[in-house]
Amino acid sequence: MSAPVAPPARLGRLLVAAPYLWLLLFFLAPFAMVLRMALSDADTALPPYAPHFEGLARLGEFFARLDLENFRLLAEDSLYGQSYLYSLRVAALTTLIALAIGYPLAYAMAAAPRHWRPVLLVLVVLPFWTSFLIRVYAWIGILRPDGLLDMMLGSLGLTSEPLRLLNTEAAVLIGMVYSYLPFMVLPLYATLEKLDRSLLEAAADLGATPATAFLTVTLPLSLPGLFAGAALVFIPSVGEFVIPDLLGGPDTTLIGNLLWTTFASRDWPLASAVAIVLLVVLVLPLALLQQARLARGGP
Amino acid sequence: MKRLGPGLILALVVGFAFLYLPILALVAYSFNASRLVTVWGGFSTHWYGSLLSNQPLLDAAWLSVRLAFVSATLAAGLGTLAALALVRHGRFQGRLLFSGMVLAPLVMPEVITGLSLLLLFVAADVERGFWTVTIAHATFGLGFACIVVQARLAGFDRSLEEAARDLGATPLVTFWTVTLPLIWPAVAAAWMLAFTLSLDDLVIASFTTGPGATTLPMRLYSAIRLGVSPEINAACTLMIGAVALAVISASLLLKRRQVAGS
């Protein structure tokens, strides 16, 4: 970091003030309200709901009214616990499958002739620019009974009756992997492309088989990209609710879906508590990941 | 130049087939004369015609474009200011909180962003509709815009600004005539990113909108829930075409500029 030339204080302050105030008002304040809502009971928090928080004098009263009831409800109702665990499972599976498809793809892109790489990169990003609803919708047409997949498999004589993949966990996983694959490929490609090829030649000269060279040179060096890609796929997967809603069935309820239904049934305090726990569930694996990276001495 | 082995070519083919076949199938069926997916009734542009008479869908599309335009402009403007603040003003009061607030919406699940803004709008007792969704989209677009502009500012040659200042330009004039033209491509890219994110968002809009403002993704979502229809395929095909055109022309433009610049 270079020490910047001190700008005139007045202009500088103005520069910071606009986005700062915007974020205080539209990010921090709403977030504080979720926290507060999660800690209030359903009676006082019913809409239309006005802020009761008036000055320091009422601070004590405010804390007295805090209520862990909603969190107790979450802990007692196994529905919520199950769907938290289920969200983590789906997100983990999505990440693993995206890695299995994304790693070879990123590796091949990085190994492709130099003038091909920008084209391949645009080809990976292009589907990401189309609406995600379209991408999910495309899979409904393929997976539904008598859809494209059944038709193709049937005409090949591989199956005699519909597979009934739509509204299953498999369909949710396909949709999630499809939607988040670019997030896995891009960071992997970025690290693999920068990889010094002479290291691989050195390994080969020293008698390593291609497989050994890959496992001892390429894979460890691509770990930063792998971690970044895994985080970028995992995070949105945990909170996802549109994909399981459209492609999943009654037993693929992710925490995002539960939050939406809780919210729609007008129990806003409980929905807020669900949101807070979701954030904690998200932050924990991320913190562990960061810890692992620091332990490895990575960036 | 080394050639790709068969294994790597297979990886490319499988990867890109997975990415593109579903979209190609969707486009193909938008030209199917038959309403049934299982039957190919011959080539037809019938569904595009019926799309043009679907007034609710067209209204929603127009609303989404206007909304994305306003929110992207807000997000790019505020994001640029935020990036300048973070890169240029080494230390200021509350910097940690500020950078945290800029970055947090990027990893925050959309359901939480939506819920929290809804609580704010209800508490403030404002009528929900176009402007509440615009504010919500500007808020989460701000972080993305800030990152894009920040990257550009990091590689910025400060001596140009210093030269302008030495020659007697006021800070404002310097910013307007030197800084802004130099970071302009990043600001434009940030705007485009925020525009696309806004156009694509379903979750946050669903939380923060009111009865009068139904965006295109919301309209599509309710149509999709009712089932597959060639008309949705036609709408999707048009959107895919628009995006492909925009991305390809943007990358061509960038390439030409690079050629001209080098």
Side-chain angles (χ1 to χ4, degrees):
Chain A
M1 279 289 135
S2 63
V5 190
R10 208 152 33 92
L11 189 74
R13 223 174 291 143
L14 249 153
L15 205 78
V16 184
Y20 209 134
L21 287 179
W22 182 281
L23 285 169
L24 281 178
L25 186 59
F26 295 122
F27 176 74
L28 202 62
F31 189 66
M33 293 177 79
V34 174
L35 198 60
R36 185 170 170 278
M37 181 70 96
L39 291 168
S40 47
D41 62 79
D43 297 331
T44 58
L46 268 181
Y49 130 97
H52 314 291
F53 194 85
E54 289 152 13
L56 282 173
R58 315 223 11 212
L59 202 63
E61 195 190 327
F62 170 72
F63 278 113
R65 264 201 270 124
L66 290 188
D67 196 343
L68 291 175
E69 176 72 14
N70 295 308
F71 291 98
R72 203 174 56 75
L73 252 164
L74 282 192
E76 277 174 4
D77 193 338
S78 66
L79 181 67
Y80 290 93
Q82 273 167 15
S83 85
Y84 276 116
L85 286 180
Y86 187 67
S87 296
L88 290 180
R89 172 195 149 92
V90 168
L93 283 174
T94 302
T95 310
L96 285 178
I97 300 170
L99 185 64
I101 300 175
Y103 201 101
L105 183 60
Y107 188 87
M109 283 166 63
R114 192 170 291 277
H115 58 275
W116 272 99
R117 289 181 207 163
V119 180
L120 294 174
L121 207 56
V122 169
L123 279 177
V124 167
V125 180
L126 200 57
F128 166 73
W129 283 93
T130 65
S131 166
F132 82 99
L133 264 178
I134 295 181
R135 285 175 275 155
V136 175
Y137 174 68
W139 279 102
I140 297 181
I142 294 172
L143 296 176
R144 68 187 195 143
D146 295 323
L148 210 55
L149 186 68
D150 279 341
M151 214 171 72
M152 271 162 53
L153 292 179
S155 63
L156 289 174
L158 290 173
T159 55
S160 52
E161 52 185 279
L163 282 174
R164 305 206 176 281
L165 274 178
L166 193 62
N167 307 328
T168 63
E169 186 186 270
V172 175
L173 286 175
I174 292 174
M176 301 259 258
V177 170
Y178 186 70
S179 298
Y180 295 124
L181 190 62
F183 290 123
M184 180 62 89
V185 174
L186 292 182
L188 274 175
Y189 169 78
T191 48
L192 285 170
E193 203 229 347
K194 273 188 295 188
L195 196 113
D196 189 354
R197 301 256 149 203
S198 58
L199 291 173
L200 290 176
E201 285 160 24
D205 286 348
L206 294 171
T209 61
T212 317
F214 175 79
L215 285 177
T216 54
V217 179
T218 312
L219 190 62
L221 284 175
S222 63
L223 278 183
L226 198 152
F227 280 135
L232 285 177
V233 173
F234 187 82
I235 296 168
S237 299
V238 176
E240 181 58 55
F241 105 94
V242 178
I243 297 173
D245 190 50
L246 288 176
L247 294 176
D251 34 290
T252 57
T253 307
L254 265 61
I255 199 64
N257 304 79
L258 209 54
L259 198 158
W260 179 258
T261 43
T262 311
F263 166 78
S265 66
R266 293 250 135 190
D267 195 346
W268 292 9
L270 191 58
S272 302
V274 174
I276 298 292
V277 178
L278 170 58
L279 259 193
V280 173
V281 167
L282 261 183
V283 167
L284 263 180
L286 276 184
L288 290 177
L289 197 73
Q290 188 69 19
Q291 198 97 55
R293 263 158 61 175
L294 286 179
R296 281 189 58 255
Chain B
M1 198 56 70
K2 189 170 57 128
R3 300 199 56 184
L4 284 178
L8 292 183
I9 290 179
L10 185 73
L12 283 180
V13 169
V14 169
F16 283 113
F18 179 62
L19 280 176
Y20 280 92
L21 283 182
I23 294 180
L24 289 180
L26 184 147
V27 171
Y29 273 102
S30 76
F31 295 107
N32 187 2
S34 163
R35 183 169 267 286
L36 298 167
V37 179
T38 35
V39 182
W40 179 258
F43 181 86
S44 152
T45 53
H46 168 76
W47 304 109
Y48 290 87
S50 73
L51 197 64
L52 283 179
S53 53
N54 187 339
Q55 200 55 41
L57 199 72
L58 294 179
D59 288 344
W62 175 231
L63 178 93
S64 275
V65 169
R66 275 184 302 151
L67 203 150
F69 186 89
V70 178
S71 70
T73 307
L74 276 170
L78 291 166
T80 304
L81 288 182
L84 281 166
L86 284 173
V87 176
R88 294 298 173 77
H89 301 270
R91 263 172 240 130
F92 55 86
Q93 267 196 340
R95 183 196 159 94
L96 193 69
L97 175 69
F98 184 61
S99 61
M101 286 196 303
V102 169
L103 295 179
L106 306 189
V107 288
M108 187 83 101
E110 287 172 320
V111 272
I112 301 183
T113 310
L115 178 69
S116 66
L117 278 162
L118 173 72
L119 293 186
L120 176 82
F121 293 140
V122 170
D125 200 21
V126 286
E127 198 186 329
R128 275 168 281 145
F130 181 88
W131 285 105
T132 47
V133 183
T134 304
I135 287 173
H137 282 180
T139 306
F140 97 116
L142 194 160
F144 289 93
C146 177
I147 287 188
V148 173
V149 178
Q150 233 181 331
R152 176 90 183 185
L153 279 171
F156 188 88
D157 187 0
R158 298 288 313 254
S159 60
L160 290 169
E161 287 176 336
E162 283 159 22
R165 298 279 285 128
D166 286 347
L167 292 170
T170 63
L172 209 61
V173 172
T174 309
F175 178 76
W176 206 250
T177 56
V178 179
T179 317
L180 201 58
L182 280 172
I183 61 169
W184 191 243
V187 177
W191 188 90
M192 266 181 65
L193 185 61
F195 186 84
T196 322
L197 286 169
S198 165
L199 215 54
D200 198 22
D201 169 68
L202 167 71
V203 179
I204 296 175
S206 304
F207 271 101
T208 51
T209 194
T214 308
T215 64
L216 184 61
M218 289 167 68
R219 187 71 68 189
L220 273 179
Y221 181 64
S222 49
I224 288 172
R225 290 197 69 157
L226 290 179
V228 175
S229 94
E231 201 174 303
I232 308 178
N233 284 34
C236 292
T237 303
L238 288 180
M239 286 165 75
I240 293 168
V243 166
L245 212 68
V247 170
I248 290 168
S249 55
S251 57
L252 283 180
L253 213 72
L254 222 76
K255 203 166 194 177
R256 183 184 295 174
R257 189 173 275 199
Q258 272 167 4
V259 171
S262 65

